[in-house]
């Protein structure tokens, strides 16, 4: 084996170790953030706000979109051990997290600059909000109905906005804007912190 080949293999091994380490670290932070959820005004009590997508978005920018997806997966797999939703909440969190960080990471990967990061983040947040209608209506809520009847869920929304007549209207009026705003919180924090933490995540050789 030539010296050049050995050097390349050593570099690749170092990169792989860093990738796994950063992914694991971000997953742990995301898992912790899932516990810091809270209710918000004008939303039913069973819908919570949290910032657990933030580490996944940072990972998607720093290490690539696959890292963001893996962070979303690991945090929810870990949360399954203490789930109170029979796994439905974790499934929804994973689906919407991927809908957010994957488009953002792919756009940023194509052209790595601040403008691309902003476009990717906003696109991801918007897509997550729109996709939340589809995923909740056809997948998540039908599973929820096994634990909480549709009429009870609808009544929780109607207590806030009596004019909504069905679950689809609720998802459009409540869940979509809520999900977009949730994503925007992660976008803002990422833009405030990414420049400072990116060299640490990527390694000093990338400073």
């Amino acid at each position: 084996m030539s010296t050049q080949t050995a050097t390349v293999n050593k570099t690749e091994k170092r990169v792989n170790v860093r990738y796994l380490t950063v992914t694991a670290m971000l997953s742990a932070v995301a898992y912790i953030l899932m516990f810091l959820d809270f209710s918000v005004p004008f939303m039913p009590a069973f819908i919570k706000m949290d910032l657990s997508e933030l580490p996944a978005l940072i990972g998607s920018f720093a290490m690539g979109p696959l890292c963001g997806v893996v962070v979303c997966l690991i945090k929810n797999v870990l949360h399954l051990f203490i789930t109170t939703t029979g796994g439905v909440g974790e499934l929804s969190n994973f689906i919407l997290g991927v809908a957010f960080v994957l488009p953002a990471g792919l756009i940023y990967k194509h052209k790595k600059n601040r403008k691309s990061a902003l476009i990717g983040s906003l696109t991801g947040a918007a897509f997550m909000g729109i996709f939340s209608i589809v995923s909740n209506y056809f997948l998540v809520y039908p599973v929820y109905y096994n634990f909480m009847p549709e009429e009870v869920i609808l009544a929780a929304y109607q207590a806030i906005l009596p004019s909504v007549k069905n679950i689809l209207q609720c998802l459009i009026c409540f869940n979509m804007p809520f999900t977009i705003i949730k994503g925007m919180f992660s976008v803002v924090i990422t833009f405030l912190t990414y420049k400072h933490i990116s060299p640490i995540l990527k390694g000093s050789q990338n400073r």
Side-chain angles (χ1 to χ4, degrees):
M1 181 182 294
S2 66
T3 303
Q4 184 178 4
T5 301
T7 302
V8 170
N9 290 338
K10 186 176 181 180
T11 301
E12 289 180 348
K13 183 177 181 180
R14 187 185 304 118
V15 170
N16 289 337
V17 170
R18 175 167 292 278
Y19 183 92
L20 293 175
T21 302
V22 170
T23 302
M25 179 187 69
L26 292 174
S27 299
V29 174
Y31 175 64
I32 292 171
L33 288 176
M34 293 184 78
F35 291 94
L36 304 180
D37 60 351
F38 54 92
S39 300
V40 297
F42 309 111
M43 290 296 292
F46 58 84
I47 296 179
K48 305 288 186 179
M49 170 73 78
D50 70 73
L51 295 176
S52 63
E53 279 80 32
L54 172 61
L57 181 61
I58 292 174
S60 192
F61 285 158
M63 310 302 290
L66 180 59
C67 175
V69 172
V70 173
V71 170
C72 289
L73 176 62
I74 292 176
K75 68 168 182 172
N76 282 292
V77 169
L78 292 175
H79 204 264
L80 281 174
F81 291 99
I82 56 170
T83 183
T84 58
T85 64
V88 182
E90 288 75 19
L91 174 62
S92 177
N93 189 283
F94 172 70
I95 291 173
L96 295 183
V98 172
F100 178 32
V101 304
L102 185 58
L106 288 173
I107 292 174
Y108 180 70
K109 184 178 181 181
H110 178 69
K111 192 172 185 180
K112 294 185 177 182
N113 55 40
R114 190 174 180 84
K115 181 179 179 181
S116 179
L118 179 60
I119 293 173
S121 298
L122 296 178
T123 300
F127 182 71
M128 178 173 64
I130 295 171
F131 190 71
S132 70
I133 300 174
V134 178
S135 65
N136 281 319
Y137 189 75
F138 291 104
L139 180 61
V140 177
Y141 274 41
V143 177
Y144 259 130
Y145 298 154
N146 294 316
F147 308 95
M148 185 183 299
E150 180 177 353
E151 298 76 17
V152 175
I153 296 178
L154 180 59
Y157 285 106
Q158 291 175 330
I160 303 170
L161 185 64
S163 60
V164 292
K165 304 300 182 185
N166 53 58
I167 293 296
L168 182 58
Q169 287 184 359
C170 296
L171 295 175
I172 295 172
C173 295
F174 288 90
N175 293 55
M176 182 177 70
F178 169 82
T179 305
I180 293 174
I181 292 172
K182 179 181 177 182
M184 289 306 301
F185 276 114
S186 293
V187 171
V188 171
I189 297 173
T190 297
F191 269 76
L192 291 175
T193 61
Y194 184 74
K195 182 179 179 180
H196 304 287
I197 65 176
S198 175
I200 301 174
L201 298 177
K202 294 180 178 180
S204 59
Q205 69 271 20
N206 291 317
R207 288 180 186 271

